[in-house]
Amino acid sequence: MGPWRFVVWFGTVSLLADFVYEGARSVTGPLLASLGASALVVGLVTGAGEAAALGLRLVSGPLADRTRRFWGLAIAGYALTVLSVPLLGVVGVLWAACALVIAERVGKAVRSPAKDTLLSHATAATGRGRGFAVHEAMDQVGALIGPLVVAGVLAITGGDYGPALGVLAVPGVAVLGLLLWLRARVPDPEAYERALTPSAPAAADEVRLPSAFWTYAAFTAATTAGFATFGVLSYHLVVRHLVATAWVPVLYAAAMVVDAIAALATGWLYDRIGARVLVVLPLLAAVVPALAFTDTVALVVAGSLVWGAAMGVQESTLRATVADLVPSGRRATAYGVFAGVVGAASVVGGTLTGALYGSSIPLLIAVVVAIQIAALVLLATLRTRLS
C-alpha cells in the first residue's frame, strides 16, 4: 500500500471516530447543563477532558516509543472512546456524565501519540503539511456527519440524549474493524520513511528532544491558554436562549467544515513557507470570544466558525511541525510531551473562560486578547528557529 493510500485509509478511521466523539462533543455543554451543571462546571469538565486527552500523552508517548507497539496503543485508545460515548446518553446523573466525558478524552490520550507517529511516517513521503491536512480534513467529514446525526435524532425524539448518542455505537464498531484490517495490511508504516532516509533511526533513549521543540511547545501552550472550548460556547447559546438545543450540533458541524478548509489551506502553506503560517492561530483565537459571547445570533455563529478555523490549524499544522522538529526514534515521546504542555494550557483555558463568563464577558474578551498578543510576541521571537 502506498503512502497516500495509507493516509487516506487512516483518515477514514479518523472520519468514523470523529463521527462518534464529535457527535457527542457537539452537545456536551447542553447535556451537562440539562443535568444541572453551571458554566463553571462545564468549563472545568471540558477543560479537564482536554487536559486528560493531552496531558496523559506524557505517559502514552514514551510508552509507544519504548515498546514500539504503535498499533496496539492506537486500537486500545479508539476502543475506550467508542465504548464511552454511547453510555454518555444513558447514565442520567451529572457526576457519571462528567466521568464519561473525561473517559472519552482519555481514550484519545492513549491512541494519539501512536497514531500521529504512524501517520508521520507516511507523511514523510507525501509532504508533512499536506498529509496531516488531508487526514484532518477527513476527520472533519466525520465531525460534520456526527453532529448532524445527533441533531436529527434530538429533533425526532424531542431532545432525548439516549438514542441520539446511542446511534453513535454503529460507526464505533466500524472504527475497530477498519483498524484491525489496516494493521494487517501495513504492519510497519515506518518503512515509508526509511525508504526516504535509509539510515536507521536512533533509538528512543539515544535522542534528546531538540531545543526548538521546547520553544515551539511554549508558543503553542500560550495560544491554547487563551482559547475557549466549544462546551462554553454552546453553553452560552443555550442559556441565553439564542438557539434551540437541536441547532447547537448543526452549528458545530458547520464549524467542522471550516476546520477542514482551514487545515487544508494552512497545510498547503506550511509545505511552502514553513511555520510562519502559524501566525494566523493567535489572531483567530483572539477573535473568537469577541464574537461568540455576544447576544447577537449572527455574531455568535461567526465566532463559532472562527473557532472552527482555529481548531483546523491546531489539529493539522501544529502536529505537522512536531514531526519536522523531532527525529523518528523520539517522535511519539515528542507528541506526548507536546500534548502534555498543551493539556495544561487547555485546562487553564477552559477554566478561565468558564469562570470569567460567569462574572464578566468584557473581562473575558480582554484577557483572551491579551494572552493571544503575548503568544504572537513569543512566536515572533521563535520564528527564526522554527522556519
Side-chain angles (χ1 to χ4, degrees):
M1 183 181 294
W4 267 120
R5 289 186 64 193
F6 181 83
V7 169
V8 171
W9 276 115
F10 220 132
T12 305
V13 170
S14 293
L15 184 157
L16 293 168
D18 274 45
F19 188 150
V20 177
Y21 70 79
E22 296 290 13
R25 291 180 76 197
S26 71
V27 292
T28 295
L31 172 62
L32 296 181
S34 74
L35 297 174
S38 66
L40 178 58
V41 170
V42 173
L44 282 169
V45 170
T46 55
E50 291 309 305
L54 298 168
L56 291 178
R57 298 182 214 186
L58 288 167
V59 177
S60 62
L63 179 64
D65 273 335
R66 186 167 58 251
T67 65
R68 314 305 288 176
R69 294 180 178 177
F70 300 112
W71 279 117
L73 287 167
I75 292 169
Y78 277 115
L80 179 57
T81 288
V82 302
L83 289 172
S84 298
V85 166
L87 294 175
L88 186 60
V90 298
V91 290
V93 293
L94 181 59
W95 70 265
C98 291
L100 285 168
V101 168
I102 295 172
E104 183 274 311
R105 298 282 84 191
V106 170
K108 189 172 181 67
V110 172
R111 70 177 179 263
S112 289
K115 179 203 71 175
D116 286 342
T117 302
L118 292 170
L119 186 61
S120 75
H121 297 316
T123 61
T126 64
R128 299 284 192 208
R130 286 173 293 173
F132 275 98
V134 167
H135 180 268
E136 172 64 11
M138 295 187 71
D139 267 7
Q140 300 322 307
V141 174
L144 171 64
I145 297 171
L148 291 178
V149 169
V150 169
V153 178
L154 284 174
I156 292 169
T157 62
D160 189 344
Y161 290 104
L165 295 174
V167 73
L168 300 177
V170 176
V173 172
V175 167
L176 298 181
L178 185 54
L179 271 171
L180 293 172
W181 173 82
L182 190 56
R183 181 180 65 174
R185 290 293 305 274
V186 189
D188 181 25
E190 193 173 1
Y192 295 126
E193 191 164 352
R194 285 198 302 266
L196 300 176
T197 54
S199 58
D205 59 354
E206 294 177 351
V207 181
R208 292 184 178 182
L209 295 177
S211 60
F213 164 80
W214 293 107
T215 52
Y216 176 67
F219 153 72
T220 309
T223 191
T224 304
F227 190 61
T229 67
F230 191 81
V232 179
L233 268 62
S234 61
Y235 181 92
H236 173 75
L237 285 166
V238 173
V239 300
R240 296 294 184 97
H241 305 290
L242 298 174
V243 299
T245 300
W247 283 101
V248 173
V250 176
L251 179 58
Y252 187 85
M256 293 301 97
V257 173
V258 177
D259 178 316
I261 294 170
L264 290 170
T266 57
W268 182 85
L269 285 171
Y270 177 81
D271 284 341
R272 284 155 179 77
I273 66 173
R276 287 177 293 174
V277 71
L278 295 175
V279 71
V280 72
L281 182 55
L283 298 177
L284 292 172
V287 171
V288 170
L291 296 175
F293 293 125
T294 64
D295 288 327
T296 302
V297 174
L299 292 179
V300 175
V301 169
S304 299
L305 297 180
V306 173
W307 177 88
M311 285 297 297
V313 181
Q314 285 188 340
E315 293 293 329
S316 60
T317 311
L318 290 184
R319 290 158 57 208
T321 307
V322 172
D324 277 336
L325 288 173
V326 181
S328 175
R330 194 70 165 162
R331 198 168 293 156
T333 298
Y335 276 119
V337 172
F338 179 75
V341 172
V342 177
S346 293
V347 73
V348 170
T351 304
L352 181 68
T353 55
L356 290 178
Y357 178 90
S359 59
S360 172
I361 289 178
L363 179 60
L364 186 161
I365 295 170
V367 169
V368 168
V369 169
I371 291 172
Q372 298 305 332
I373 290 172
L376 281 171
V377 171
L378 181 58
L379 180 61
T381 66
L382 302 176
R383 187 174 297 171
T384 56
R385 305 186 71 182
L386 296 175
S387 298

